[in-house]
Amino acid sequence: MTDVLRRGRASLAFGFFAQGVAFALLVTRIPAVQDRYGVSDALLPLFLAAVPVLAGAGSVATEHLVKRVPPSRLLRWSQPVVLLGLLGVGAGGVGQLAALAVALGVFGLAVGALDASMNMLGVSLQRSYGRSIMLSFHAAYSLGGIVGASLAWAGAHWHLALWVSYLPVVAVLLPAVLVGSRWYVDAGDAGATGAVPGGGEAAGGGGTLVFRLLLPLCLVMTFAYIGDSTVSNWSAKYLKDVLGSSEQLATVPYNVYMVTTLLGRTIGDFGVRRFGAAAVVRLGAVVAAGGFAVVASASGAWAGMLGFTLLGLGLCVLVPQTFAAAGRLFSGASDAAVARLNVFNYVGFLVGSPLVGALGDAWSYRGAMLVPMVLVLVTLGYARSFAAQPDRYGGGHERPRTADVGRGSNGL
């Protein structure tokens, strides 16, 4: 294992962390953004929907850009734009809806490029490492989300203006990510293995993406984000309105979910190395479905909290392993596969919250929780797509766990 790869892994993990902080600072302060700009309840959903739509466009654009520009360069410059977009959201005032639209538009487009390029680098680094490390990057994102949500709580608690809350974070993270970007590792860089274990081309080095073969992973990505958006958008309302909790207790499930997501992703790579990606995905789907079942049948707030805890432990493995599986399936076109797959991240986010809300209003919120449960269980039918096997270009997969014997397991 070379120093180049170790530094590349550490710098990319910090990039994931920074994005987790930025995204949490935005989504957890939506009510404050609405109040600051005077956005009506009818108009707010349009502003919020524009972000994932533009992020999807940014991801599609990234698929074409990486044919000419290395993913590391796209990530190096898209991350500062995301942070500046966040600051722009906090800088406006009442009635300045055009300024808000521009800031959110910049944020959304840059997030699409960032998410896609970030996961491209994660997939190629995992290939170079020859063992599962993808979950560790998303664990860093979860940690960033916890930090960002905590900073947002502090800003709300002390009644700080949005720009006052955002400026110190941007001032710290922006130069840090620019410095860290010096050590990003693209496939084929010095110190990285130019080919996947077992032969075959390095990521992005030719090959054709066949969407029909990628479709099962796209569905899994969509279902995972429908589940995730259900927790982030409806957990507080569900605990308060359905299970009768206090308003203070209703804020806890999402934090619990984020903590258990961090825990599951921290240890998940060890499970993949020991039992294989398909087994870990199957277990995650079953645990997540069990979490939704507990939430739907809970008789009180604490039982509901147990359900959201299980959801964090189950859902956390699906997204990172879906990206990793796309990289294995199309080792000769992994950048394109990751960018295309990333679009369905935003599809799930767009579908999940309105779907649960509409079902809750028309039927019941308990019944609505059964829909993401069923969708997560459908993932079991696609688990074979996660199995480590030679891909259609002759490429391999992570080396079997016996290759790690004697290497040690001390972090990077």
Side-chain angles (χ1 to χ4, degrees):
M1 194 59 55
T2 67
D3 289 338
V4 170
L5 290 179
R6 291 190 178 93
R7 286 194 297 266
R9 182 180 178 185
S11 61
L12 183 59
F14 182 76
F16 271 85
F17 170 83
Q19 173 59 1
V21 174
F23 193 76
L25 278 170
L26 177 65
V27 298
T28 56
R29 298 303 308 274
I30 291 300
V33 172
Q34 183 180 13
D35 292 341
R36 183 173 181 84
Y37 285 89
V39 181
S40 67
D41 289 339
L43 196 57
L44 182 63
L46 296 179
F47 277 95
L48 297 182
V51 175
V53 169
L54 289 171
S59 187
V60 171
T62 301
E63 177 183 346
H64 299 286
L65 286 171
V66 293
K67 296 174 183 176
R68 298 175 177 84
V69 181
S72 64
R73 191 174 302 171
L74 290 176
L75 177 56
R76 178 176 298 124
W77 297 114
S78 61
Q79 191 145 46
V81 174
V82 167
L83 293 169
L84 291 173
L86 175 69
L87 187 59
V89 169
V94 176
Q96 297 179 337
L97 296 184
L100 176 61
V102 170
L104 287 176
V106 169
F107 185 91
L109 285 169
V111 159
L114 186 152
D115 284 346
S117 57
M118 199 162 55
N119 283 289
M120 289 173 188
L121 291 182
V123 166
S124 64
L125 265 175
Q126 175 165 287
R127 179 181 290 108
S128 297
Y129 260 72
R131 56 190 171 96
S132 179
I133 60 171
M134 196 67 183
L135 279 157
S136 67
F137 295 128
H138 287 260
Y141 180 92
S142 296
L143 178 60
I146 293 170
V147 171
S150 300
L151 292 172
W153 177 90
H157 179 74
W158 295 104
H159 305 289
L160 300 178
L162 282 174
W163 74 268
V164 175
S165 295
Y166 291 166
L167 181 59
V169 177
V170 173
V172 171
L173 289 182
L174 196 151
V177 296
L178 284 174
V179 172
S181 68
R182 295 171 56 195
W183 294 286
Y184 290 156
V185 177
D186 288 296
D189 280 353
T193 62
V196 295
E201 282 185 283
T208 303
L209 175 64
V210 181
F211 184 70
R212 176 178 55 82
L213 299 179
L214 187 66
L215 183 58
L217 297 178
C218 294
L219 293 175
V220 173
M221 181 70 78
T222 302
F223 299 157
Y225 269 99
I226 287 175
D228 181 82
S229 65
T230 298
V231 178
S232 59
N233 288 287
W234 295 104
S235 59
K237 179 177 177 63
Y238 188 87
L239 226 70
K240 185 174 182 294
D241 295 352
V242 178
L243 300 183
S245 78
S246 66
E247 187 171 351
Q248 183 177 2
L249 186 60
T251 65
V252 176
Y254 184 69
N255 286 332
V256 170
Y257 173 77
M258 290 299 296
V259 170
T260 53
T261 295
L262 172 61
L263 176 63
R265 287 173 172 173
T266 300
I267 64 176
D269 281 321
F270 298 101
V272 173
R273 295 171 200 164
R274 179 65 178 85
F275 301 106
V280 169
V281 167
R282 288 189 183 99
L283 178 62
V286 170
V287 171
F292 276 118
V294 170
V295 169
S297 60
S299 57
W302 290 104
M305 205 85 71
L306 172 62
F308 288 114
T309 300
L310 292 173
L311 280 172
L313 290 172
L315 289 176
C316 69
V317 301
L318 299 184
V319 171
Q321 285 307 305
T322 304
F323 280 121
R328 286 194 298 271
L329 183 62
F330 295 98
S331 70
S334 68
D335 287 349
V338 167
R340 191 79 58 88
L341 184 62
N342 189 57
V343 173
F344 290 84
N345 159 354
Y346 311 118
V347 172
F349 191 85
L350 276 172
V351 170
S353 181
L355 175 65
V356 171
L359 289 173
D361 291 339
W363 180 22
S364 74
Y365 280 99
R366 287 185 183 274
M369 291 294 165
L370 299 178
V371 175
M373 180 193 78
V374 171
L375 293 177
V376 168
L377 282 175
V378 172
T379 298
L380 293 173
Y382 299 118
R384 70 185 68 178
S385 299
F386 293 82
Q389 56 187 348
D391 60 43
R392 65 191 304 272
Y393 300 110
H397 45 273
E398 292 90 18
R399 287 189 291 270
R401 61 189 176 91
T402 53
D404 293 324
V405 175
R407 178 183 297 171
S409 56
N410 52 343
L412 301 179

